[in-house]
């Protein structure tokens, strides 16, 4: 890291630590260097470093474990803010928002998907189906969310994909909330994949609407 100037030390340390987190110097789940190591790298006191870490912990990027150290929990404060808001959102509100995102993702994916996108969608759908047959609700929820995230990826719109990933935890919880209803076999996701593969945006949008209508009924 760069040695920062001795003006607004805490703000400068916050900016530098945020930059290192964003660029993946310390991946999510890993421990950052100790206060003394960071102070030496930044050329400032441990007190300034401690305050910078406290601010970033409050923002949701870091988490300090007493007696263990400080770990990276996220790389983007905007995603943290969205996740916190989604944690308090009603399930129906989330479905209403998905009616916007899912329909755009399906329409764009049908026109922009690549062979690599299709292979990823098939693999994720196979995992979803296998988890459903095994009665594995957690595995099913993970694969279901992964499938929809991959649909957003296939739209090749970076902002749309980021928004969908920011919602992934809430989406996973909404699937789990359906409990046994989520595991009832249906062909809607296979039909969505076929519509995207065929390059049929109208059909892809119609199936996405049907999927969300069913989830609304299940709730």
């Amino acid at each position: 890291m760069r040695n920062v100037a001795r003006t607004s030390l805490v703000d400068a340390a916050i900016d530098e630590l945020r930059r290192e987190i964003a660029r993946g110097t310390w991946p999510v789940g890993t421990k950052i260097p100790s206060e003394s190591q960071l102070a030496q790298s930044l050329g400032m006191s441990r007190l300034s470093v401690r305050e910078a870490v406290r601010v970033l912990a409050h923002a949701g990027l870091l988490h300090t474990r007493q007696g263990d150290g400080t770990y990276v929990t996220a790389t983007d404060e905007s995603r943290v803010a969205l996740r916190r808001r989604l944690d308090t959102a009603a399930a129906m509100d989330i479905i209403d928002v998905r009616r916007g995102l899912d329909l755009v993702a399906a329409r764009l994916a049908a026109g922009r998907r690549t062979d690599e996108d299709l292979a990823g969608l098939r693999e994720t759908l196979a995992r979803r189906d296998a988890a459903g047959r095994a009665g594995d609700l957690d595995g099913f929820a993970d694969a279901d969310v992964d499938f929809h995230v991959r649909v957003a990826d296939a739209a090749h719109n970076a902002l749309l994909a980021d928004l969908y990933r920011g919602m992934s935890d809430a989406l996973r919880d909404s699937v789990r909330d359906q409990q046994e209803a989520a595991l009832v076999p249906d062909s809607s996701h296979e039909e969505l994949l076929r519509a995207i593969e065929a390059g049929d945006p109208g059909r892809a949008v119609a199936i996405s609407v049907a999927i969300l209508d069913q989830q609304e009924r299940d709730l």
Side-chain angles (χ1 to χ4, degrees):
M1 292 185 297
R2 300 173 298 177
N3 191 279
V4 300
R6 293 186 178 277
T7 56
S8 303
L9 289 177
V10 173
D11 288 341
I14 291 170
D15 289 342
E16 190 64 22
L17 293 176
R18 184 187 285 120
R19 187 178 298 110
E20 295 298 317
I21 292 169
R23 68 169 52 139
T25 301
W26 310 303
V28 172
T30 62
K31 186 190 298 188
I32 68 172
S34 66
E35 282 183 4
S36 59
Q37 291 172 316
L38 291 173
Q40 182 176 6
S41 297
L42 294 169
M44 62 176 61
S45 70
R46 291 179 61 178
L47 186 62
S48 296
V49 169
R50 186 177 302 138
E51 178 62 16
V53 168
R54 186 192 68 79
V55 170
L56 292 176
H58 181 72
L61 298 185
L62 299 173
H63 175 68
T64 299
R65 302 176 187 173
Q66 192 67 34
D68 185 11
T70 300
Y71 290 78
V72 178
T73 54
T75 60
D76 186 330
E77 286 161 281
S78 62
R79 286 190 183 182
V80 173
L82 177 59
R83 187 171 66 229
R84 287 173 173 170
R85 180 63 188 90
L86 288 169
D87 285 344
T88 62
M92 289 301 301
D93 289 343
I94 292 173
I95 287 181
D96 286 342
V97 171
R98 285 190 62 185
R99 288 188 183 280
L101 295 180
D102 281 27
L103 272 55
V104 171
R107 178 174 60 81
L108 292 178
R112 299 178 179 178
R113 87 291 182 277
T114 65
D115 289 343
E116 183 179 356
D117 292 327
L118 292 173
L121 285 166
R122 292 188 196 101
E123 184 276 329
T124 307
L125 192 56
R127 285 194 289 112
R128 180 182 182 274
D129 291 344
R133 289 193 299 271
D136 177 6
L137 183 58
D138 286 341
F140 180 89
D142 288 342
D144 184 83
V145 172
D146 286 348
F147 177 82
H148 289 287
V149 168
R150 284 182 180 270
V151 171
D153 285 340
H156 293 279
N157 180 305
L159 179 57
L160 177 63
D162 282 346
L163 287 171
Y164 220 100
R165 280 187 167 78
M167 292 181 63
S168 60
D169 287 342
L171 299 181
R172 194 172 287 108
D173 289 341
S174 70
V175 175
R176 291 194 185 102
D177 286 345
Q178 297 172 45
Q179 299 181 353
E180 296 306 317
L183 301 176
V184 175
D186 75 274
S187 61
S188 58
H189 287 67
E190 289 85 351
E191 291 172 8
L192 176 56
L193 174 55
R194 286 197 293 270
I196 292 172
E197 186 173 16
D200 187 341
R203 180 64 177 158
V205 167
I207 296 168
S208 294
V209 171
I211 289 172
L212 291 170
D213 285 347
Q214 183 59 56
Q215 289 187 357
E216 183 174 331
R217 289 192 291 271
D218 291 341
L219 288 172

